[in-house]
């Protein structure tokens, strides 16, 4: 994966802090919190490969969670960022934790990360992913009509925000890429629904796992599995928040991130393993 193709925004001065969005999202997901964070840190909001303005790897190249972690690691190395603070939401939360497990983060804040949800809880998502192969055969014009319909937009809003109106008072809309054959979303989604965080390696840096109480995408009961995987992780319940909490309560999300960044490491942080 060509890390040189990652598009990003940079704001502020201080220690580096990376912001990593979720599946099907882009760097603008962090707009509600980026300026407040930039008052204390040098903030880099990335478009993960295949999303926003960052190109996806060629169809014959690896493109999964491990490849995303490799790409972000290579991007950090190419920009001279040594152990930045890393913050991620959903898929981005898993990438953040994997970077922490490699010893490449000064701290990790993961907002509703994938990798802690049981197979039964993911059954609905697995069925949806399985149905995408059929959905991608439907003409785009038909999907535009479906996606723009009020019932589908209401369900999308409920899933993302835990309520029938988004923070702006309107209705969210699915990205057509969700049902576009060969898109980054359709390529990654099967691995996302199968992924489980491997806590055996340990994340040797200050870590916070925060979850929206109203998350309808990944239920908050997954928090109970976090301690088994990352015993020292701080757990935070975000009241009134859905799956993208920085949109619901940006002030609280900023405080959660800042508190994690300010935490003194309780255990030594190992040097990254040399490349094979």
């Amino acid at each position: 994966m060509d890390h040189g193709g990652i598009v990003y925004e940079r704001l502020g001065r201080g220690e580096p802090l990376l912001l990593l969005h979720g599946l099907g999202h882009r760097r603008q997901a962090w707009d509600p919190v980026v300026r407040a964070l930039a008052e204390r840190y040098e903030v880099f909001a990335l478009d993960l490969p295949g999303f926003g303005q960052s190109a996806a790897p060629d169809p014959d190249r690896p493109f999964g969670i491990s490849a995303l972690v490799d790409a972000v690691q290579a991007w950090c190395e190419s920009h001279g960022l040594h152990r930045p603070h890393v913050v991620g939401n959903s898929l981005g939360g898993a990438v953040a934790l994997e970077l922490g497990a490699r010893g490449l983060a000064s701290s990790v804040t993961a907002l509703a990360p994938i990798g802690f949800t049981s197979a039964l809880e993911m059954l609905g998502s697995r069925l949806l992913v399985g149905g995408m192969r059929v959905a991608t055969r439907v003409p785009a014009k038909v999907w535009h009509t479906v996606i723009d319909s009020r019932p589908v937009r209401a369900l999308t809003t409920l899933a993302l925000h835990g309520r029938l109106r988004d923070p702006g008072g309107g209705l969210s809309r699915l990205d057509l890429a969700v049902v576009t054959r060969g898109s980054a979303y359709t390529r990654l989604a099967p691995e996302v629904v199968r992924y489980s965080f491997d806590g055996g390696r340990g994340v040797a840096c200050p870590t916070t796992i925060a979850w929206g109480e109203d998350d309808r995408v990944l239920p908050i009961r997954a928090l109970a599995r976090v301690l088994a995987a990352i015993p020292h992780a701080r757990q935070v319940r975000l009241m009134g928040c859905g799956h993208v909490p920085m949109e619901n309560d940006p002030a609280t999300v900023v405080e959660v991130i800042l508190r994690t960044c300010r935490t003194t490491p309780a255990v030594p942080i190992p040097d990254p393993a040399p490349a094979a």
Side-chain angles (χ1 to χ4, degrees):
M1 185 178 294
D2 179 12
H3 64 82
I6 291 180
V7 176
Y8 66 96
E9 292 182 5
R10 176 181 179 181
L11 194 67
R13 298 179 64 181
E15 297 176 59
L17 186 154
L18 301 189
L19 299 175
L20 308 176
H21 60 77
L23 180 67
H25 222 152
R26 59 194 68 195
R27 65 184 187 276
Q28 286 82 3
W30 300 100
D31 283 355
V33 301
V34 69
R35 292 194 176 277
L37 294 172
E39 293 177 4
R40 296 172 175 83
Y41 295 93
E42 184 177 22
V43 179
F44 298 85
L46 277 58
D47 277 340
L48 291 173
F51 300 97
Q53 294 179 290
S54 295
D58 293 336
D60 60 342
R61 300 289 300 277
F63 189 42
I65 294 170
S66 180
L68 289 178
V69 178
D70 291 342
V72 175
Q73 177 180 345
W75 181 88
C76 288
E77 291 170 354
S78 70
H79 287 76
L81 303 184
H82 181 66
R83 290 187 180 133
H85 300 284
V86 188
V87 181
N89 174 223
S90 195
L91 169 63
V95 175
L97 287 168
E98 293 288 353
L99 289 168
R102 294 185 184 186
L104 300 174
S106 288
S107 73
V108 171
T109 305
L111 309 175
I114 64 171
F116 296 96
T117 308
S118 71
L120 182 61
E121 291 164 348
M122 292 298 290
L123 180 60
S125 296
R126 292 187 181 206
L127 291 174
L128 285 174
V129 169
M132 282 195 308
R133 293 182 179 179
V134 176
T136 56
R137 297 188 177 96
V138 177
K141 183 177 180 179
V142 175
W143 276 117
H144 270 297
T145 302
V146 173
I147 286 171
D148 285 330
S149 68
R150 188 174 184 84
V152 170
R153 293 189 67 181
L155 287 172
T156 301
T157 306
L158 182 62
L160 292 178
H161 302 289
R163 61 195 69 176
L164 291 175
R165 292 285 175 182
D166 64 24
L171 296 174
S172 300
R173 182 183 184 276
L174 281 173
D175 190 326
L176 190 61
V178 171
V179 287
T180 300
R181 185 179 299 183
S183 70
Y185 189 100
T186 57
R187 291 170 65 187
L188 266 179
E191 179 167 345
V192 166
V193 298
R194 293 192 301 264
Y195 170 78
S196 179
F197 178 73
D198 178 10
R201 296 165 295 173
V203 180
C205 66
T207 303
T208 296
I209 310 290
W211 224 290
E213 288 274 2
D214 299 328
D215 194 331
R216 306 298 178 92
V217 178
L218 300 177
I220 192 171
R221 56 180 171 269
L223 258 180
R225 303 180 189 100
V226 171
L227 272 182
I230 313 171
H232 70 275
R234 181 171 69 105
Q235 300 179 42
V236 177
R237 290 174 173 261
L238 301 170
M239 303 298 295
C241 291
H243 190 59
V244 190
M246 53 276 197
E247 294 184 358
N248 301 124
D249 190 350
T252 297
V253 170
V254 167
E255 180 51 38
V256 168
I257 294 170
L258 293 180
R259 180 177 172 184
T260 309
C261 293
R262 291 193 297 257
T263 302
T264 302
V267 291
I269 300 175
D271 289 327

